[in-house]
Amino acid sequence: MDPDDPYESLPKESSLAAHLGAGALAGMAEHCIMYPVDSVKTRMQSIIPEPGARYRSIAHAFQTIIRQEGFLRPVRGVSVVAAGAGPAHALYFSCYEQMKRTFGGNSRGMEPGHYPIANGSNVCVLSVGGGLIEWLWI
């Protein structure tokens, strides 16, 4: 990873709002794109599948689901996933960027893209924070 590549990171003077927005948009895009595949994967892994659900491959599963249940069936529920992914990824991305700044990153001679303390602290902060938010939400 080239640290001078403008596509690899936001500028150093980026605000918290920019980090929140970038994380939210990236997370929502990822979940919306992968949702149909995840939906089919979940069906294929089901212990007790529907009687007509005998799939030979992912492509066959998509074809069967669309033919039997309609074109939009693989994306049913994507709006709920996107609504949850936005805040979660905004929090993760902004925390990660802040931890990178706090623990030094490239300014302390680490190789570009290698931030073990930022990664570890992110896991701790977000596991506790995410669990607390989930507990309060339910």
Side-chain angles (χ1 to χ4, degrees), residues 48-64:
I48 305 171
E50 280 189 36
R54 301 281 182 234
Y55 309 125
R56 296 186 300 270
S57 66
I58 293 175
H60 179 255
F62 268 113
Q63 182 182 19
T64 304

Side-chain angles (χ1 to χ4, degrees), residues 26-27 32 35 47 55-56 65 67 69 73 81 90-91 97 100 105 109 115 118 120-121 124-125 127 129 133:
C32 288
Y35 186 82
I47 294 173
Y55 309 125
R56 296 186 300 270
I65 291 168
R67 187 174 2 117
E69 301 176 38
R73 182 59 176 174
V81 170
L91 178 65
E97 290 297 323
K100 255 182 20 181
Y115 306 106
S121 60
C124 294
V125 168
S127 294
I133 290 170

Side-chain angles (χ1 to χ4, degrees), residues 42-122:
T42 301
R43 277 198 187 199
M44 291 178 78
Q45 292 176 335
S46 177
I47 294 173
I48 305 171
E50 280 189 36
R54 301 281 182 234
Y55 309 125
R56 296 186 300 270
S57 66
I58 293 175
H60 179 255
F62 268 113
Q63 182 182 19
T64 304
I65 291 168
I66 289 170
R67 187 174 2 117
Q68 291 178 354
E69 301 176 38
F71 183 73
L72 295 177
R73 182 59 176 174
V75 294
R76 183 175 179 198
V78 73
S79 58
V80 175
V81 170
H89 285 270
L91 178 65
Y92 183 84
F93 193 80
S94 59
C95 281
Y96 177 73
E97 290 297 323
Q98 184 57 46
M99 294 298 166
K100 255 182 20 181
R101 286 184 188 156
T102 302
F103 295 119
N106 288 342
S107 66
R108 297 206 179 143
M110 297 175 114
E111 63 184 72
H114 186 69
Y115 306 106
I117 296 175
N119 289 336
S121 60
N122 242 3

Side-chain angles (χ1 to χ4, degrees), residues 22-39 78 81-86 88-90 92:
L25 290 175
M28 289 170 61
E30 182 266 331
H31 282 281
C32 288
I33 290 168
M34 291 307 298
Y35 186 82
V37 177
D38 192 45
S39 177
V78 73
V81 170
H89 285 270
Y92 183 84

Side-chain angles (χ1 to χ4, degrees), residues 1-11 93:
M1 182 170 85
D2 180 11
D4 297 324
D5 187 355
Y7 295 106
E8 290 296 329
S9 63
L10 292 170
F93 193 80

